[in-house]
Amino acid sequence: MLAVAILAHLSLASGACTRDLLKGITASYLDALALGKPTTMKSLGAEGTALAYQENDVSLDISKGVLSQSVSIDFNRSIYDTTECASYTEIVSTGKHPYVIGTRLAVTSDSGKLNKIESVVCDDGDWLFNAAGSLRYNKQEVWDPIPEAKRDKREVIKAAGDAYIDAWGDSSVQPPFGKSCARLEGGSYLTGNCKLNFQPPFKVTNRRYTIDEELGAVDIFHNFPFLDKFIPRDPGTQTNNLLRVEGGQIKYIHENTVCSKKSCAK
Ligand SMILES: *[C@@H]1O[C@H](CO)[C@@H](O)[C@H](O)[C@H]1NC(C)=O
Protein backbone atom coordinates (compact mmCIF):
# COMPACT_ATOMS: atom_id res chain seq x y z
CA MET A 1 0.00 0.00 0.00
CA LEU A 2 2.67 2.41 1.09
CA ALA A 3 4.80 1.65 -1.99
CA VAL A 4 1.81 2.30 -4.24
CA ALA A 5 1.08 5.57 -2.51
CA ILE A 6 4.69 6.69 -2.87
CA LEU A 7 4.80 5.71 -6.53
CA ALA A 8 1.59 7.58 -7.24
CA HIS A 9 3.03 10.62 -5.53
CA LEU A 10 6.28 10.41 -7.48
CA SER A 11 4.55 10.18 -10.83
CA LEU A 12 2.50 13.25 -9.97
CA ALA A 13 5.57 15.12 -8.85
CA SER A 14 7.30 14.38 -12.16
CA GLY A 15 4.35 15.95 -13.96
CA ALA A 16 2.15 13.17 -15.29
CA CYS A 17 -0.41 14.45 -17.72
CA THR A 18 -3.92 13.86 -16.44
CA ARG A 19 -7.33 14.12 -18.02
CA ASP A 20 -8.30 16.68 -15.40
CA LEU A 21 -5.33 18.88 -16.26
CA LEU A 22 -6.30 18.81 -19.95
CA LYS A 23 -9.97 19.41 -19.14
CA GLY A 24 -9.11 22.45 -17.05
CA ILE A 25 -6.90 24.02 -19.71
CA THR A 26 -9.45 23.27 -22.45
CA ALA A 27 -12.28 24.81 -20.44
CA SER A 28 -10.21 27.93 -19.95
CA TYR A 29 -9.49 28.05 -23.71
CA LEU A 30 -13.26 28.00 -24.36
CA ASP A 31 -13.84 30.75 -21.81
CA ALA A 32 -11.09 32.88 -23.36
CA LEU A 33 -12.52 32.38 -26.85
CA ALA A 34 -15.99 33.41 -25.69
CA LEU A 35 -14.61 36.43 -23.83
CA GLY A 36 -12.21 37.43 -26.59
CA LYS A 37 -9.42 37.60 -24.00
CA PRO A 38 -6.58 35.16 -24.67
CA THR A 39 -4.68 36.43 -21.62
CA THR A 40 -7.32 34.93 -19.32
CA MET A 41 -6.25 31.44 -20.35
CA LYS A 42 -4.81 29.17 -17.75
CA SER A 43 -1.30 27.82 -18.07
CA LEU A 44 -0.22 30.17 -20.83
CA GLY A 45 3.29 28.90 -21.31
CA ALA A 46 6.10 28.40 -18.82
CA GLU A 47 7.90 31.54 -17.73
CA GLY A 48 10.39 32.70 -20.32
CA THR A 49 9.13 30.41 -23.05
CA ALA A 50 7.14 31.63 -25.99
CA LEU A 51 3.79 30.05 -26.63
CA ALA A 52 3.45 28.97 -30.25
CA TYR A 53 0.18 30.11 -31.79
CA GLN A 54 -1.04 29.18 -35.28
CA GLU A 55 -4.19 29.58 -37.30
CA ASN A 56 -4.52 27.63 -40.54
CA ASP A 57 -0.83 26.69 -40.42
CA VAL A 58 0.28 30.33 -40.13
CA SER A 59 2.05 31.64 -37.01
CA LEU A 60 0.27 34.60 -35.54
CA ASP A 61 0.34 36.89 -32.53
CA ILE A 62 -2.29 35.38 -30.22
CA SER A 63 -3.74 38.83 -29.58
CA LYS A 64 -4.42 39.30 -33.32
CA GLY A 65 -6.28 36.07 -33.95
CA VAL A 66 -9.74 34.63 -33.49
CA LEU A 67 -9.15 34.28 -29.73
CA SER A 68 -9.52 38.05 -29.43
CA GLN A 69 -12.83 38.27 -31.23
CA SER A 70 -15.28 37.11 -28.56
CA VAL A 71 -16.84 34.22 -30.44
CA SER A 72 -20.28 33.12 -29.22
CA ILE A 73 -20.12 29.36 -28.77
CA ASP A 74 -23.23 27.37 -29.68
CA PHE A 75 -21.59 23.98 -29.40
CA ASN A 76 -18.32 22.45 -28.23
CA ARG A 77 -16.85 18.96 -28.20
CA SER A 78 -13.43 17.97 -26.83
CA ILE A 79 -11.18 14.94 -26.70
CA TYR A 80 -8.19 14.44 -24.39
CA ASP A 81 -4.91 12.65 -25.07
CA THR A 82 -3.02 12.02 -21.82
CA THR A 83 -0.18 10.22 -23.66
CA GLU A 84 0.66 13.14 -25.96
CA CYS A 85 -0.62 15.63 -23.37
CA ALA A 86 -2.88 17.44 -25.79
CA SER A 87 -6.54 18.12 -26.35
CA TYR A 88 -8.61 18.74 -29.42
CA THR A 89 -11.75 20.90 -29.31
CA GLU A 90 -14.25 21.79 -31.97
CA ILE A 91 -16.64 24.67 -31.63
CA VAL A 92 -19.51 25.89 -33.76
CA SER A 93 -20.63 29.50 -33.70
CA THR A 94 -23.71 30.67 -35.56
CA GLY A 95 -23.21 34.19 -34.16
CA LYS A 96 -22.69 37.42 -36.08
CA HIS A 97 -19.55 35.99 -37.62
CA PRO A 98 -20.24 32.25 -38.00
CA TYR A 99 -17.27 29.95 -37.41
CA VAL A 100 -16.36 26.32 -37.08
CA ILE A 101 -13.03 26.10 -35.27
CA GLY A 102 -10.93 23.05 -34.44
CA THR A 103 -8.15 23.64 -31.91
CA ARG A 104 -5.33 21.45 -30.70
CA LEU A 105 -3.84 22.47 -27.36
CA ALA A 106 -0.41 20.95 -26.62
CA VAL A 107 0.78 20.93 -23.03
CA THR A 108 4.25 20.24 -21.62
CA SER A 109 3.54 17.44 -19.16
CA ASP A 110 6.44 18.34 -16.84
CA SER A 111 5.21 21.85 -16.19
CA GLY A 112 1.52 21.44 -17.02
CA LYS A 113 1.86 24.56 -19.20
CA LEU A 114 0.58 25.14 -22.70
CA ASN A 115 3.29 25.17 -25.33
CA LYS A 116 1.30 25.32 -28.56
CA ILE A 117 -2.15 26.30 -29.74
CA GLU A 118 -3.06 25.51 -33.33
CA SER A 119 -6.45 26.07 -34.88
CA VAL A 120 -8.21 25.32 -38.12
CA VAL A 121 -10.47 28.34 -38.41
CA CYS A 122 -13.27 27.89 -40.95
CA ASP A 123 -15.74 30.57 -41.95
CA ASP A 124 -17.63 31.83 -44.99
CA GLY A 125 -16.10 30.58 -48.24
CA ASP A 126 -14.25 27.61 -46.75
CA TRP A 127 -14.88 24.11 -48.05
CA LEU A 128 -18.63 23.34 -47.68
CA PHE A 129 -18.79 25.81 -44.79
CA ASN A 130 -22.22 26.14 -43.20
CA ALA A 131 -22.25 26.74 -39.45
CA ALA A 132 -25.97 26.03 -39.10
CA GLY A 133 -25.47 22.62 -40.73
CA SER A 134 -22.44 21.89 -38.55
CA LEU A 135 -24.39 22.75 -35.44
CA ARG A 136 -27.43 20.71 -36.39
CA TYR A 137 -25.60 17.52 -37.34
CA ASN A 138 -22.82 17.63 -34.78
CA LYS A 139 -25.29 18.06 -31.93
CA GLN A 140 -27.32 15.01 -32.86
CA GLU A 141 -24.39 12.58 -32.72
CA VAL A 142 -23.68 10.44 -29.66
CA TRP A 143 -20.10 10.57 -28.40
CA ASP A 144 -20.56 9.08 -24.94
CA PRO A 145 -17.60 7.56 -23.10
CA ILE A 146 -17.05 3.97 -24.21
CA PRO A 147 -17.39 1.40 -21.38
CA GLU A 148 -13.91 0.40 -20.24
CA ALA A 149 -14.17 -3.24 -21.34
CA LYS A 150 -15.11 -2.19 -24.87
CA ARG A 151 -12.44 0.45 -25.45
CA ASP A 152 -10.13 0.14 -28.43
CA LYS A 153 -6.42 0.56 -27.88
CA ARG A 154 -4.83 3.79 -28.99
CA GLU A 155 -3.02 1.98 -31.84
CA VAL A 156 -6.31 0.62 -33.20
CA ILE A 157 -7.96 4.05 -33.13
CA LYS A 158 -4.93 5.67 -34.78
CA ALA A 159 -4.77 2.95 -37.45
CA ALA A 160 -8.44 3.56 -38.32
CA GLY A 161 -7.73 7.27 -38.77
CA ASP A 162 -4.65 6.63 -40.89
CA ALA A 163 -6.45 4.05 -43.03
CA TYR A 164 -9.24 6.55 -43.74
CA ILE A 165 -6.71 9.10 -44.98
CA ASP A 166 -4.36 6.64 -46.71
CA ALA A 167 -7.25 5.21 -48.75
CA TRP A 168 -7.79 8.56 -50.48
CA GLY A 169 -4.79 7.99 -52.72
CA ASP A 170 -4.58 4.21 -52.50
CA SER A 171 -7.76 2.29 -53.22
CA SER A 172 -6.14 -0.95 -51.99
CA VAL A 173 -6.42 0.39 -48.42
CA GLN A 174 -9.74 -0.66 -46.87
CA PRO A 175 -10.64 1.54 -43.89
CA PRO A 176 -12.77 -0.15 -41.21
CA PHE A 177 -16.01 1.74 -41.90
CA GLY A 178 -18.98 0.84 -39.71
CA LYS A 179 -22.31 0.21 -41.46
CA SER A 180 -23.79 3.52 -40.39
CA CYS A 181 -20.64 5.60 -40.94
CA ALA A 182 -21.49 9.29 -41.26
CA ARG A 183 -19.32 12.19 -42.40
CA LEU A 184 -19.90 15.80 -41.44
CA GLU A 185 -17.92 17.66 -44.10
CA GLY A 186 -18.11 21.39 -43.56
CA GLY A 187 -21.83 21.76 -42.86
CA SER A 188 -23.05 18.87 -45.00
CA TYR A 189 -23.86 15.41 -43.74
CA LEU A 190 -23.40 12.17 -45.63
CA THR A 191 -24.51 8.88 -44.13
CA GLY A 192 -24.06 5.22 -44.99
CA ASN A 193 -20.85 5.47 -46.98
CA CYS A 194 -17.70 7.25 -45.88
CA LYS A 195 -15.46 6.03 -48.67
CA LEU A 196 -13.38 8.60 -50.57
CA ASN A 197 -10.86 8.04 -53.35
CA PHE A 198 -8.89 10.50 -55.43
CA GLN A 199 -6.65 10.18 -58.44
CA PRO A 200 -3.19 9.11 -57.24
CA PRO A 201 -0.59 10.27 -56.46
CA PHE A 202 -2.36 11.76 -53.45
CA LYS A 203 -0.01 12.14 -50.54
CA VAL A 204 -1.33 13.45 -47.22
CA THR A 205 1.44 14.92 -45.09
CA ASN A 206 2.08 16.77 -41.86
CA ARG A 207 -0.21 14.64 -39.65
CA ARG A 208 -0.57 15.65 -35.98
CA TYR A 209 -2.62 13.30 -33.82
CA THR A 210 -4.76 13.64 -30.74
CA ILE A 211 -6.11 10.30 -29.49
CA ASP A 212 -8.66 9.60 -26.75
CA GLU A 213 -9.33 5.95 -25.86
CA GLU A 214 -12.18 6.82 -23.50
CA LEU A 215 -14.11 8.53 -26.30
CA GLY A 216 -12.81 6.25 -29.07
CA ALA A 217 -11.61 9.35 -30.88
CA VAL A 218 -8.71 10.44 -33.03
CA ASP A 219 -8.19 13.87 -34.51
CA ILE A 220 -5.64 14.40 -37.25
CA PHE A 221 -4.48 17.85 -38.35
CA HIS A 222 -2.95 17.51 -41.80
CA ASN A 223 -2.62 19.01 -45.25
CA PHE A 224 -5.02 18.26 -48.07
CA PRO A 225 -3.46 18.31 -51.53
CA PHE A 226 -5.13 19.33 -54.77
CA LEU A 227 -8.43 20.85 -53.57
CA ASP A 228 -7.39 24.52 -53.30
CA LYS A 229 -6.76 25.93 -56.77
CA PHE A 230 -5.05 29.07 -55.45
CA ILE A 231 -2.05 27.31 -53.85
CA PRO A 232 0.42 24.63 -54.99
CA ARG A 233 -1.08 21.14 -55.16
CA ASP A 234 1.29 19.84 -52.45
CA PRO A 235 1.24 19.84 -49.53
CA GLY A 236 -2.10 21.65 -50.01
CA THR A 237 -4.42 23.44 -47.66
CA GLN A 238 -4.88 22.81 -43.94
CA THR A 239 -7.61 20.52 -42.77
CA ASN A 240 -8.45 18.27 -39.91
CA ASN A 241 -10.39 15.08 -39.52
CA LEU A 242 -11.93 13.95 -36.25
CA LEU A 243 -13.07 10.32 -36.11
CA ARG A 244 -15.14 8.35 -33.63
CA VAL A 245 -14.21 4.66 -33.61
CA GLU A 246 -16.38 2.03 -31.90
CA GLY A 247 -15.29 -1.62 -31.72
CA GLY A 248 -12.55 -0.89 -34.25
CA GLN A 249 -15.00 0.59 -36.75
CA ILE A 250 -15.37 4.17 -37.92
CA LYS A 251 -18.71 5.62 -36.88
CA TYR A 252 -18.38 9.38 -37.40
CA ILE A 253 -16.01 11.64 -39.32
CA HIS A 254 -15.83 15.44 -39.08
CA GLU A 255 -13.82 17.32 -41.68
CA ASN A 256 -13.00 21.04 -41.54
CA THR A 257 -11.01 22.29 -44.52
CA VAL A 258 -9.72 25.78 -45.02
CA CYS A 259 -9.58 27.67 -48.33
CA SER A 260 -6.72 30.13 -48.86
CA LYS A 261 -9.29 32.34 -50.61
CA LYS A 262 -13.05 32.02 -50.73
CA SER A 263 -14.50 29.20 -52.81
CA CYS A 264 -11.16 27.58 -53.61
CA ALA A 265 -12.40 24.22 -54.83
CA LYS A 266 -11.10 23.05 -58.20
C1 LIG B 1 -19.28 23.28 -23.72
O1 LIG B 1 -20.23 22.24 -23.76
C2 LIG B 1 -20.70 21.81 -22.49
C3 LIG B 1 -21.67 20.68 -22.72
O2 LIG B 1 -21.05 19.62 -23.38
C4 LIG B 1 -21.34 22.95 -21.76
O3 LIG B 1 -21.72 22.54 -20.48
C5 LIG B 1 -20.39 24.12 -21.67
O4 LIG B 1 -21.05 25.23 -21.10
C6 LIG B 1 -19.87 24.50 -23.04
N1 LIG B 1 -18.87 25.55 -22.91
C7 LIG B 1 -18.96 26.72 -23.57
C8 LIG B 1 -17.88 27.70 -23.29
O5 LIG B 1 -19.83 26.98 -24.36
Side-chain angles (χ1 to χ4, degrees), residues 194-213:
C194 288
K195 196 169 161 171
L196 268 186
N197 291 121
F198 302 97
Q199 189 72 33
F202 194 90
K203 200 161 174 284
V204 176
T205 53
N206 204 14
R207 303 182 194 188
R208 290 92 88 194
Y209 302 86
T210 313
I211 300 169
D212 185 335
E213 294 183 14

Side-chain angles (χ1 to χ4, degrees), residues 26-27 29-32 34 72-78 91:
T26 304
Y29 162 78
L30 286 171
D31 290 343
S72 62
I73 299 172
D74 293 299
F75 181 78
N76 72 89
R77 185 190 295 294
S78 296
I91 71 100

Side-chain angles (χ1 to χ4, degrees), residues 67-217:
L67 259 164
S68 306
Q69 292 178 12
S70 183
V71 174
S72 62
I73 299 172
D74 293 299
F75 181 78
N76 72 89
R77 185 190 295 294
S78 296
I79 69 171
Y80 307 99
D81 185 336
T82 52
T83 304
E84 286 292 322
C85 208
S87 70
Y88 171 75
T89 297
E90 54 185 19
I91 71 100
V92 181
S93 173
T94 59
K96 57 184 188 301
H97 183 150
Y99 281 113
V100 174
I101 302 170
T103 295
R104 187 175 192 275
L105 301 176
V107 176
T108 305
S109 52
D110 284 343
S111 62
K113 299 280 188 190
L114 265 171
N115 63 55
K116 186 169 189 183
I117 302 176
E118 49 187 333
S119 294
V120 179
V121 179
C122 292
D123 62 359
D124 184 38
D126 286 320
W127 177 242
L128 297 178
F129 180 81
N130 175 355
S134 295
L135 179 63
R136 171 168 168 218
Y137 297 115
N138 202 337
K139 240 164 115 169
Q140 76 191 20
E141 291 181 348
V142 179
W143 289 64
D144 290 344
I146 293 172
E148 223 164 324
K150 291 193 165 174
R151 282 180 200 163
D152 289 311
K153 292 260 170 273
R154 165 176 195 95
E155 295 70 31
V156 171
I157 299 168
K158 180 173 186 280
D162 277 330
Y164 173 60
I165 288 172
D166 290 339
W168 294 345
D170 180 355
S171 54
S172 72
V173 176
Q174 299 291 324
F177 293 127
K179 274 201 192 68
S180 63
C181 184
R183 182 171 60 239
L184 175 58
E185 190 173 340
S188 65
Y189 209 59
L190 246 108
T191 53
N193 184 1
C194 288
K195 196 169 161 171
L196 268 186
N197 291 121
F198 302 97
Q199 189 72 33
F202 194 90
K203 200 161 174 284
V204 176
T205 53
N206 204 14
R207 303 182 194 188
R208 290 92 88 194
Y209 302 86
T210 313
I211 300 169
D212 185 335
E213 294 183 14
E214 191 173 311
L215 291 174

